[in-house]
Amino acid sequence: MKILLIDDSSTMRMLMVKMLREIGYTDFIAVDNAEEAIPLAFNNKFDVILTDWNLPKMSGLDFVKHLKTTPSTKNIPVIMITSIHDRAAILKALKTGIQGYILKPVSKEIVMAKLKEVEEKLQADNAEKGGEKR
């Protein structure tokens, strides 16, 4: 599974990269802002995007809104990883079309469970399409 990770905190990116490797994912790109992530999302076939909400210049939520309004990226599952615990904010994020919401501090078990959900859905979607790849 190919993953795009976006977080402006170098510590958080290193932690997430370490976690992804420990879980068994090795095909990923990690960047520190949404502006850099946009062309990556358009030019690569990511299976899932993990993004922080609080990013410089363009928030993770605005990034997701941009993805969801673009035909080539609207179906990429997005998991928001954030320290924003506010119920209204979580509902707002869910309305943009994210597939998951992970509160910081993150645990390997929660990340693994959310990625497993995405992976299972992708496999089911591929089976419905007769095994076609996205």
Side-chain angles (χ1 to χ4, degrees):
M1 188 158 72
K2 190 168 185 171
I3 301 168
L4 175 58
L5 169 66
I6 312 160
D7 199 302
D8 60 321
S9 164
S10 60
T11 302
M12 187 63 185
R13 277 194 320 278
M14 287 189 307
L15 173 72
M16 288 300 300
V17 164
K18 182 177 186 275
M19 249 187 240
L20 290 171
R21 287 188 177 129
E22 288 174 359
I23 295 169
Y25 296 104
T26 58
D27 190 5
F28 56 83
I29 296 173
V31 297
D32 65 0
N33 64 75
E35 292 85 3
E36 188 177 350
I38 288 172
L40 290 170
F42 289 119
N43 296 317
N44 294 275
K45 293 196 176 196
F46 289 104
D47 296 303
V48 66
I49 296 173
L50 306 173
T51 186
D52 186 15
W53 186 316
N54 294 314
L55 297 170
K57 296 182 187 172
M58 174 186 267
S59 74
L61 189 63
D62 288 337
F63 170 75
V64 173
K65 288 176 184 176
H66 185 67
L67 287 181
K68 298 301 178 182
T69 59
T70 306
S72 64
T73 57
K74 72 179 182 181
N75 294 321
I76 300 172
V78 178
I79 298 172
M80 184 79 65
I81 301 176
T82 184
S83 58
I84 298 175
H85 292 218
D86 178 63
R87 180 174 162 70
I90 294 169
L91 292 173
K92 184 177 181 180
L94 290 170
K95 286 180 183 176
T96 65
I98 65 167
Q99 281 64 41
Y101 198 94
I102 299 174
L103 296 173
K104 292 178 181 178
V106 299
S107 74
K108 184 168 44 174
E109 293 75 23
I110 292 173
V111 172
M112 188 168 35
K114 292 291 185 183
L115 289 175
K116 186 79 168 160
E117 286 174 20
V118 168
E119 207 164 7
E120 288 171 358
K121 181 164 180 1
L122 289 172
Q123 289 171 351
D125 290 350
N126 282 339
E128 277 183 24
K129 295 177 185 173
E132 291 177 22
K133 292 236 178 195
R134 282 192 315 114

